[in-house]
Amino acid sequence: MKLNYKRTILVGFAFFLICAFWQAYDNTIPLILTNKFGMSQTWSGVIMALDNVLALFMLPLFGHLSDKCTNPRGRRTPFIVVGTLIAACALVALSFVDNAQLRHLRDVSAIDDPAALSVIYERQKDATLLSPGGESFILGQKFTEEEFTAIRSQTVTEDGRTVTDPAYTNYVVPARQACAEAATRTHPATVILFVALLLIILLSMATFRSPAVALMPDVTPKPLRSKANAVINLMGSAGGIIVLALGMLFATASVQNSMMSYTGYFGVIAALMLAALVVFMLTVQEPLWAKEMQEQSVAAGLEDEEEAAHPTESRKLSADEVKSLLLILLSIVLWFFGYNAVTSKYSVYASNILHKDYNLTLIIAQAAAIVAYLPVGFVAGKIGRKKTILAGVVMLTVAFGVAGFLTADSPSALMNAMFALAGIAWATINVNSFPMVVELASGGDVGKYTGFYYTASMAAQVATPMVSGLLMDKFGMHVLFPYAAVFTGLAFVTMLFVRHGDSRDVPAGKAADTDITVEELTND
């Protein structure tokens, strides 16, 4: 049986635009919330968890609704089109509200301006503030006004390197954020409108994520789904890397741009999403490809003609299958608890603890994942999905465990290496976990089981930004990576007890005929 890579890539453009959006969202929204609205890490975590709260209910709902959809364009395509159009337009509108908040901060927003620093000092000199490292200080006791206004965002080291001044991120940034918090209280309508637009964006993204992901198993026979999911994730990583490269172009990670306008950046992201949607609409023939997949499955003996004739019918799982499904979903919760804590907080962690550009490190992780996706799909075909996932969980735990010991003085190459390992590990887990879930589904339940998968992942992502943010506020940002390593280690334990979800082989005696049939069907 051969995978049709061309079709899988085209289907993957839906996941490409999804990942492009979330890469931009996860990297920039926490910075806007903390830098411009003055929110604590805890409250920023609450806002960042909104999409996951909505997803708990909406992803299973819209996965199920798409299962029942009878639109001529297919079961999944209408959701993808409408959701993308609304999200892209609302993202651009969000930048205008961000600009409105920036106008409220015009007296304190200029970076390295002594006049702006003087205003910050006068407003906050009696305030008790908290540095990113967990140090509590009273600004007026820590610095005189002359000392405070002399601090600059960058400093030159003895070896001639220009680096972020720790005094700036430890003391100026918290003081400016306190001014931003005061401005938010004075102008609450701005933050209310900002959150309202976020909700519109998140609702629109939630309407089509399950349908977009369910489209791959709709058009791919079961034994080929790990390979196909590798291609889909490859497309998603491509979207993420492009956005990270745009982040470097716009210098979104620069401390000197912490008060920048995001209108141009968000506009480019929206255009990228719409371009991917156009490619998807012009090339993907969902109803035809789904029908041909059913014919392939019958020819290979993976489905009987009765199942193929009624692709929207459900089936009941055995008790052992239910147990495995629940253990897979619990494992998903645990590794997302660790992984999402890092992805949602790393931009802040890198800026304040490591004093490094987070874009480059994340690009390395994405690049490593891209290199790993296809080999991981082949490895899973040889040794099984479960064993491959367990290896990935071990790698992810090691990467987070080592990263927890790294500081601003550690070589950048070491953190980059740990993120490269994390990228390979996440590719190993991601390529195989979703196919394990939908392996247990019938054709009529693929959208629903896709919703189960995302309910598990989003349940973790609801809690982990808030819990990790609370711990970071209380004990300092250094707890981030140990926190992540603990949860990924627990996922290894639960995954050990899974007994179902590996792909079925093509029945003996069907392989030769299937190769011919599939070759004919996969030639466009």
Side-chain angles (χ1 to χ4, degrees):
M1 226 177 196
K2 297 180 177 66
L3 178 67
N4 188 325
Y5 284 95
K6 177 182 176 182
R7 288 187 178 182
T8 308
I9 289 170
L10 294 174
V11 166
F13 271 98
F15 199 58
F16 172 96
L17 69 88
I18 288 172
C19 290
F21 168 83
W22 287 115
Q23 189 72 67
Y25 182 89
D26 285 340
N27 288 348
T28 57
I29 300 301
L31 294 175
I32 292 172
L33 294 175
T34 54
N35 290 332
K36 295 180 182 176
F37 290 99
M39 291 186 184
S40 66
Q41 291 300 323
T42 302
W43 278 107
S44 170
V46 170
I47 299 297
M48 291 301 291
L50 280 176
D51 63 307
N52 306 312
V53 173
L54 293 171
L56 280 174
F57 308 100
M58 295 191 66
L59 295 190
L61 172 63
F62 281 93
H64 181 67
L65 290 176
S66 68
D67 282 338
K68 307 305 179 184
C69 180
T70 58
N71 190 282
R73 291 296 302 269
R75 293 191 291 175
R76 322 297 182 184
T77 299
F79 294 89
I80 296 168
V81 173
V82 174
T84 302
L85 291 175
I86 296 173
C89 294
L91 183 64
V92 175
L94 190 72
S95 70
F96 299 142
V97 182
D98 173 61
N99 289 340
Q101 178 67 4
L102 196 55
R103 288 192 291 273
H104 298 325
L105 301 173
R106 56 184 174 274
D107 292 340
V108 299
S109 62
I111 306 298
D112 294 341
D113 179 17
L117 293 173
S118 181
V119 172
I120 293 172
Y121 186 85
E122 286 301 316
R123 293 180 182 175
Q124 301 299 325
K125 63 182 179 182
D126 297 324
T128 300
L129 305 173
L130 189 70
S131 76
E135 176 192 354
S136 179
F137 65 96
I138 297 175
L139 185 60
Q141 295 179 6
K142 188 78 177 180
F143 301 100
T144 65
E145 182 173 354
E146 183 178 3
E147 291 171 337
F148 186 77
T149 56
I151 298 173
R152 295 293 176 267
S153 61
Q154 294 184 327
T155 186
V156 178
T157 62
E158 293 181 358
D159 58 3
R161 292 183 298 115
T162 300
V163 298
T164 300
D165 186 351
Y168 184 86
T169 52
N170 284 335
Y171 307 114
V172 175
V173 170
R176 178 178 279 114
Q177 288 175 348
C179 291
E181 182 185 10
T184 300
R185 288 197 302 267
T186 303
H187 306 280
T190 308
V191 71
I192 291 172
L193 182 56
F194 188 87
V195 173
L197 274 172
L198 274 184
L199 284 172
I200 292 172
I201 293 171
L202 298 176
L203 285 169
S204 60
M205 293 298 297
T207 61
F208 74 93
R209 182 158 188 161
S210 286
V213 175
L215 184 55
M216 181 277 287
D218 280 351
V219 300
T220 308
K222 286 186 175 183
L224 302 178
R225 287 176 182 172
S226 282
K227 291 181 182 178
N229 204 37
V231 175
I232 296 296
N233 279 277
L234 191 66
M235 292 294 292
S237 290
I241 281 189
I242 290 173
V243 169
L244 289 169
L246 288 170
M248 296 182 72
L249 181 64
F250 282 87
T252 58
S254 170
V255 173
Q256 292 186 310
N257 280 344
S258 58
M259 305 300 284
M260 69 180 283
S261 167
Y262 285 94
T263 300
Y265 177 71
F266 283 174
V268 172
I269 300 301
L272 181 65
M273 293 171 64
L274 294 174
L277 178 64
V278 169
V279 174
F280 178 88
M281 291 176 64
L282 292 177
T283 59
V284 173
Q285 303 174 57
E286 180 189 338
L288 174 63
W289 295 358
K291 180 182 177 182
E292 291 184 355
M293 186 279 289
Q294 292 159 14
E295 293 174 358
Q296 293 179 40
S297 297
V298 170
L302 298 169
E303 292 182 9
D304 57 35
E305 294 186 7
E306 180 68 19
E307 288 178 308
H310 301 89
T312 60
E313 291 188 357
S314 305
R315 76 175 182 91
K316 187 176 181 179
L317 300 183
S318 69
D320 283 344
E321 287 175 325
V322 170
K323 181 180 177 181
S324 285
L325 176 62
L326 292 176
L327 284 169
I328 295 169
L329 295 176
L330 178 57
S331 301
I332 291 166
V333 168
L334 291 170
W335 62 56
F336 267 97
F337 239 91
Y339 182 78
N340 186 252
V342 173
T343 58
S344 63
K345 296 294 184 183
Y346 184 69
S347 61
V348 178
Y349 184 93
S351 298
N352 292 287
I353 298 297
L354 302 178
H355 311 305
K356 290 178 171 62
D357 184 340
Y358 64 83
N359 283 301
L360 177 60
T361 307
L362 294 176
I363 282 178
I364 289 171
Q366 292 274 24
I370 282 179
V371 171
Y373 278 132
L374 293 179
V376 162
F378 285 105
V379 168
K382 298 295 184 182
I383 69 172
R385 292 166 181 162
K386 175 184 170 179
K387 290 179 181 178
T388 309
I389 288 175
L390 287 172
V393 172
V394 170
M395 289 189 288
L396 193 62
T397 304
V398 169
F400 289 161
V402 173
F405 290 97
L406 303 183
T407 67
D409 296 326
S410 302
S412 296
L414 190 53
M415 181 59 87
N416 292 341
M418 289 305 100
F419 266 76
L421 180 61
I424 294 170
W426 194 244
T428 304
I429 294 168
N430 238 12
V431 161
N432 295 291
S433 54
F434 173 65
M436 286 192 80
V437 173
V438 295
E439 183 75 22
L440 298 169
S442 63
D445 283 333
V446 169
K448 182 171 73 174
Y449 277 64
T450 301
F452 289 162
Y453 173 86
Y454 279 111
T455 296
S457 64
M458 294 302 174
Q461 293 175 80
V462 166
T464 199
M466 294 184 284
V467 175
S468 61
L470 182 63
L471 292 174
M472 290 163 72
D473 282 338
K474 187 172 181 61
F475 300 109
M477 291 190 180
H478 298 91
V479 304
L480 178 62
F481 284 104
Y483 169 95
V486 167
F487 282 102
T488 54
L490 290 173
F492 181 87
V493 177
T494 56
M495 198 66 201
L496 280 174
F497 297 96
V498 173
R499 297 289 179 264
H500 296 272
D502 270 314
S503 62
R504 289 190 295 157
D505 294 329
V506 177
K510 291 282 186 178
D513 291 339
T514 301
D515 284 341
I516 296 171
T517 304
V518 174
E519 188 68 33
E520 292 171 352
L521 288 170
T522 55
N523 284 331
D524 289 327

